[in-house]
Amino acid sequence: MTGAKRKKKSMLWSKMHTLQCEDIIQWCRRRLPILDWASHYNLKENLLPDTVSGMMLALQQVTQGLAFAVLSSVHPVFGLYGSLFPAIIYAIFGMGRHVATGTFALTSLISANAVERIVPQNIQNLTTQSNTSVLGLSDFEMQRIRVAAAVSFLGGVIQVAMFVLQLGSATFIVTEPVISAMTTGAATHVVTSQVKYLLGIKMPYISGPLGFFYIYAYVFENIKSVRLEALLLSLLSIVVLVLVKELNEQFKRKIKVVLPVDLVLIIAASFACYCTNMENTYGLEVVGHIPQGIPSPRAPPMSILSAVITEAFGVALVGYVASLALAQGSAKKFKYSIDDNQEFLAHGLSNIVSSFFFCIPSAAAMGRTAGLYSTGAKTQVACLISCIFVLIVIYAIGPLLYWLPMCVLASIIVVGLKGMLIQFRDLKKYWNVDKIDWGIWVSTYVFTICFAANVGLLFGVVCTIAIVIGRFPRAMTLSIKNMKEMEFKVKTEMESETLQQVKIISINNPLVFLNAKKFYTDLMNIIQKENACNQPLDDISKCEQNTLLNSLSNGNCNEEALQSCPNEKNSLILDCSGFTFFDYSGVSMLVEVYMDCKGRNVDVLLAHCTASLIKAMKYYGNLDSEKPIFFESVSAAISHIHANKNLSKLNDHSEV
């Protein structure tokens, strides 16, 4: 008896031990995505494109690192560190395979507020000019980077706290129009902050509410102080950058490697400035001394965390929202999935760890991510390879950048923001799809311009929620269909063979950003479940009972699904009579359903559509113009399916 108990106990313990090991392995794979994709990495197919992409990405990381460090009001060398450490951490913990993390214009602009407030420029004359033991930089420069590192550290802590609270699932409230307007407004702020370098004038740091307008007022008041040499060099740099990048974009299919115009411009401008001594002859401001090497890690000052909490929240929210939008876009483009909460952890750890190495706040940038797309990157190995080249710059090439004119660096920043600035074109899209989203875009942009990116983001989210709450109570619920009448019409008008191919789903509620993802998930589950079924129905009565699937409330469908023939082409009819209103996210999801079903060999037909829905879907998506999609009623849609069935049979007989 005792032996049996011991044997039973040992078996139970071995099962618990096995479960614990499996849980630990599964948890590690979930929280360390690099373990998942690295084990399946194909060296033969992926290493070469990742290497080429990594080299091109390193050029962007170096130039943007120098530029965004200046934007963050710290020494340019700290931008090189910010291009190195966050990329390594994100490659380990991040799920976006085509997301390039590093210095970011919006987070740099936010952290600059804290730097200029706590360590203003006028303190430089009061502090001692003796060099510190860290890289030979002055006490003033080290005080400034410590403030920026504190913002990065606290912002990362906030992001990790949001990961612990599982707030990634709440990011659906940040809609595409809000993100587009916020990033466009912030990009406008960044361009404005570079005006003093583009024009070569001395300007005090201006921030706060309406600071955008005060900057331009100061420029017009001191228009006589503009240096013609800096203005001409800025214009020449912008023209060259835009022209060459447009040519690269047009001929990227014919040429395997695009011309690194940023690097060519930096080398040419630095060489010209060195040969002509522009710094002393024309008074052009240059980057200055870039120290070699990486300093030993040091904890950011904890005593000033309470003073930078506002900027830390701005960095945490704005950086995460902009990065998540890029990660979701890349996942959708290359057909893989990401976890919103895991992205909180990845970016939070990137900011926390990097703050110990004198880094400014980091996030993913649109220009670098688009560069990975265009150069054919496959995985995060491209970002890790770029880190190797950034290290080479830090230890060997950095001092050669002394003569780089600041106006050229500012030109690189401005042209690099083109992807964000051209989002103004989205206004036409929102106007044609949903005018309320158009109003949200405009108001969010105005708030971002007048105040700051985090204020604009908060306003856009609150405004979106308030509008949805105001619209939902007025939404009409779907009236209950006369089931017997519909079954009678189907039975008398259709053959059982054709009827087995039809699924009718009734949408009961508005389709907006709140329920768009759930609607898509449940609809795809029904289709996948039907495709997996291969048992035919016993009689026509079962077919009639399962034909009408009359409940899709907030995307929740009942479990009854039509049992169809696996070898026949299926048809899906969406009854939109209860589709009272929609927004841009709802229309985009409906078009995505149509395209995915088309790829699954399922025809989608929409009945009882309003004129505004038909107009929005035709404007948004590339719908099939050869086949009718919209019908006045469900019966009309079924008749169309029946007619196509008879036509296909007639064609088969004629071929025979």
Side-chain angles (χ1 to χ4, degrees):
M1 188 72 178
T2 306
K5 287 184 177 180
R6 287 179 179 176
K7 186 177 181 180
K8 186 177 181 180
K9 186 176 180 181
S10 63
M11 290 176 62
L12 182 63
W13 172 254
S14 62
K15 288 183 179 179
M16 291 178 61
H17 182 70
T18 304
L19 289 175
Q20 288 178 354
C21 292
E22 290 179 355
D23 291 341
I24 292 174
I25 294 173
Q26 187 177 4
W27 184 89
C28 290
R29 284 185 172 273
R30 190 168 65 250
R31 297 305 169 209
L32 296 170
I34 191 173
L35 298 178
D36 188 29
W37 60 261
S39 59
H40 303 94
Y41 189 78
N42 191 325
L43 287 172
K44 186 176 180 180
E45 294 182 2
N46 298 337
L47 184 59
L48 181 59
D50 280 343
T51 302
V52 175
S53 298
M55 294 173 62
M56 302 303 296
L57 177 61
L59 300 177
Q60 290 181 298
Q61 289 278 33
V62 170
T63 55
Q64 292 184 2
L66 295 172
F68 295 155
V70 174
L71 184 61
S72 191
S73 298
V74 299
H75 194 278
V77 71
F78 299 116
L80 297 179
Y81 306 152
S83 301
L84 174 64
F85 294 103
I88 297 174
I89 302 301
Y90 184 83
I92 298 173
F93 294 94
M95 299 188 71
R97 301 173 193 170
H98 302 80
V99 174
T101 303
T103 55
F104 186 44
L106 307 189
T107 54
S108 297
L109 194 64
I110 294 172
S111 65
N113 293 331
V115 172
E116 294 288 350
R117 188 182 71 252
I118 298 176
V119 189
Q121 188 70 32
N122 54 18
I123 292 183
Q124 185 175 11
N125 298 326
L126 302 177
T127 57
T128 58
Q129 297 299 316
S130 60
N131 293 337
T132 63
S133 59
V134 181
L135 300 174
L137 297 175
S138 65
D139 292 331
F140 175 76
E141 294 290 354
M142 295 309 302
Q143 289 176 19
R144 287 200 150 196
I145 188 54
R146 288 190 185 105
V147 175
V151 174
S152 178
F153 174 81
L154 187 55
V157 170
I158 293 172
Q159 289 174 329
V160 172
M162 291 179 175
F163 160 76
V164 173
L165 297 174
Q166 298 291 295
L167 294 182
S169 57
T171 54
F172 67 90
I173 63 176
V174 186
T175 60
E176 183 179 328
V178 173
I179 296 174
S180 174
M182 183 271 294
T183 52
T184 307
T188 310
H189 269 297
V190 174
V191 172
T192 302
S193 68
Q194 298 303 300
V195 168
K196 61 180 180 180
Y197 298 116
L198 295 173
L199 301 180
I201 62 176
K202 299 292 184 180
M203 181 188 302
Y205 183 79
I206 302 174
S207 63
L210 304 180
F212 173 84
F213 303 100
Y214 292 140
I215 290 175
Y216 285 104
Y218 183 91
V219 170
F220 284 113
E221 288 176 0
N222 299 271
I223 196 69
K224 295 181 179 180
S225 302
V226 173
R227 291 187 179 275
L228 185 60
E229 297 83 2
L231 177 59
L232 293 176
L233 188 55
S234 300
L235 291 175
L236 179 62
S237 301
I238 291 174
V239 170
V240 170
L241 288 169
V242 172
L243 184 62
V244 176
K245 289 189 175 184
E246 286 296 325
L247 292 175
N248 283 338
E249 187 67 24
Q250 289 187 5
F251 296 100
K252 64 180 180 181
R253 294 182 179 178
K254 297 181 180 179
I255 54 177
K256 295 183 179 180
V257 180
V258 297
L259 177 65
V261 61
D262 293 357
L263 177 64
V264 174
L265 182 63
I266 287 176
I267 295 174
S270 301
F271 183 75
C273 185
Y274 171 77
C275 293
T276 59
N277 195 16
M278 291 184 183
E279 182 183 14
N280 298 321
T281 305
Y282 303 107
L284 288 183
E285 187 176 357
V286 296
V287 169
H289 174 63
I290 302 291
Q292 289 178 305
I294 299 175
S296 58
R298 184 178 300 180
M302 303 298 171
S303 58
I304 63 172
L305 293 183
S306 59
V308 299
I309 189 168
T310 303
E311 288 80 9
F313 266 104
V315 164
L317 295 178
V318 173
Y320 172 75
V321 168
S323 302
L324 181 64
L326 294 174
Q328 290 176 339
S330 65
K332 184 177 180 180
K333 182 179 179 68
F334 296 99
K335 307 299 181 183
Y336 61 88
S337 61
I338 62 169
D339 182 0
D340 296 351
N341 281 307
Q342 181 64 24
E343 291 299 292
F344 259 132
L345 177 64
H347 289 289
L349 292 178
S350 295
N351 279 314
I352 291 175
V353 175
S354 301
S355 67
F356 287 81
F357 293 91
F358 304 98
C359 294
I360 59 179
S362 64
M366 181 183 294
R368 296 194 299 266
T369 302
L372 289 179
Y373 292 170
S374 61
T375 53
K378 302 297 182 181
T379 64
Q380 279 290 325
V381 171
C383 297
L384 295 176
I385 291 175
S386 73
C387 294
I388 298 175
F389 291 97
V390 173
L391 273 174
I392 295 174
V393 173
I394 291 174
Y395 279 95
I397 305 176
L400 301 178
L401 299 173
Y402 178 97
W403 297 99
L404 177 62
M406 291 298 298
C407 59
V408 175
L409 200 56
S411 302
I412 294 174
I413 294 178
V414 172
V415 176
L417 295 171
K418 176 190 171 185
M420 293 184 182
L421 294 174
I422 62 175
Q423 292 179 132
F424 278 109
R425 297 185 299 188
D426 293 345
L427 284 172
K428 181 181 179 181
K429 176 175 61 177
Y430 296 129
W431 178 265
N432 285 279
V433 175
D434 184 21
K435 292 179 176 57
I436 292 181
D437 278 341
W438 181 89
I440 292 174
W441 196 103
V442 173
S443 57
T444 302
Y445 177 80
V446 171
F447 263 75
T448 303
I449 287 295
C450 294
F451 299 99
N454 50 349
V455 177
L457 177 63
L458 180 62
F459 171 81
V461 171
V462 172
C463 187
T464 303
I465 294 174
I467 289 175
V468 171
I469 292 175
R471 293 171 79 181
F472 255 105
R474 294 179 292 158
M476 296 178 61
T477 58
L478 180 65
S479 59
I480 299 175
K481 288 183 178 292
N482 190 338
M483 302 290 288
K484 293 182 179 180
E485 179 183 355
M486 180 61 68
E487 289 176 4
F488 174 76
K489 288 182 180 180
V490 172
K491 184 176 180 180
T492 55
E493 295 178 7
M494 305 296 297
E495 299 175 359
S496 61
E497 182 183 359
T498 305
L499 186 61
Q500 290 179 2
Q501 300 172 358
V502 181
K503 181 190 296 294
I504 306 174
I505 298 179
S506 180
I507 304 176
N508 291 337
N509 276 341
L511 189 58
V512 293
F513 70 96
L514 290 171
N515 62 349
K517 287 185 178 180
K518 190 67 167 60
F519 165 78
Y520 175 83
T521 302
D522 288 342
L523 199 56
M524 290 298 108
N525 288 338
I526 291 174
I527 295 172
Q528 290 175 358
K529 181 180 178 181
E530 180 177 349
N531 291 338
C533 296
N534 54 9
Q535 296 180 355
L537 293 177
D538 296 334
D539 51 32
I540 185 100
S541 60
K542 283 186 179 181
C543 188
E544 290 170 355
Q545 291 175 1
N546 289 328
T547 298
L548 287 174
L549 185 59
N550 184 27
S551 177
L552 184 57
S553 178
N554 283 335
N556 295 322
C557 307
N558 64 6
E559 296 180 355
E560 295 180 344
L562 182 66
Q563 305 293 330
S564 64
C565 299
N567 297 325
E568 295 288 343
K569 184 169 184 177
N570 297 329
S571 297
L572 173 66
I573 300 177
L574 295 179
D575 183 4
C576 300
S577 56
F579 201 174
T580 50
F581 69 84
F582 54 88
D583 66 358
Y584 182 83
S585 300
V587 173
S588 63
M589 191 59 69
L590 204 56
V591 173
E592 187 173 344
V593 165
Y594 172 81
M595 300 304 295
D596 283 0
C597 288
K598 185 178 179 181
R600 297 169 186 266
N601 205 29
V602 177
D603 288 333
V604 178
L605 297 85
L606 284 78
H608 298 293
C609 296
T610 61
S612 59
L613 176 61
I614 296 174
K615 178 184 176 183
M617 288 192 66
K618 286 183 177 180
Y619 182 83
Y620 180 89
N622 297 321
L623 303 180
D624 194 346
S625 58
E626 297 180 357
K627 299 180 181 179
I629 301 171
F630 306 99
F631 297 88
E632 295 181 355
S633 63
V634 175
S635 299
I638 294 176
S639 300
H640 173 75
I641 296 172
H642 183 52
N644 284 347
K645 181 69 176 179
N646 293 336
L647 181 61
S648 63
K649 286 183 177 180
L650 184 61
N651 291 335
D652 292 340
H653 285 303
S654 63
E655 290 177 1
V656 172

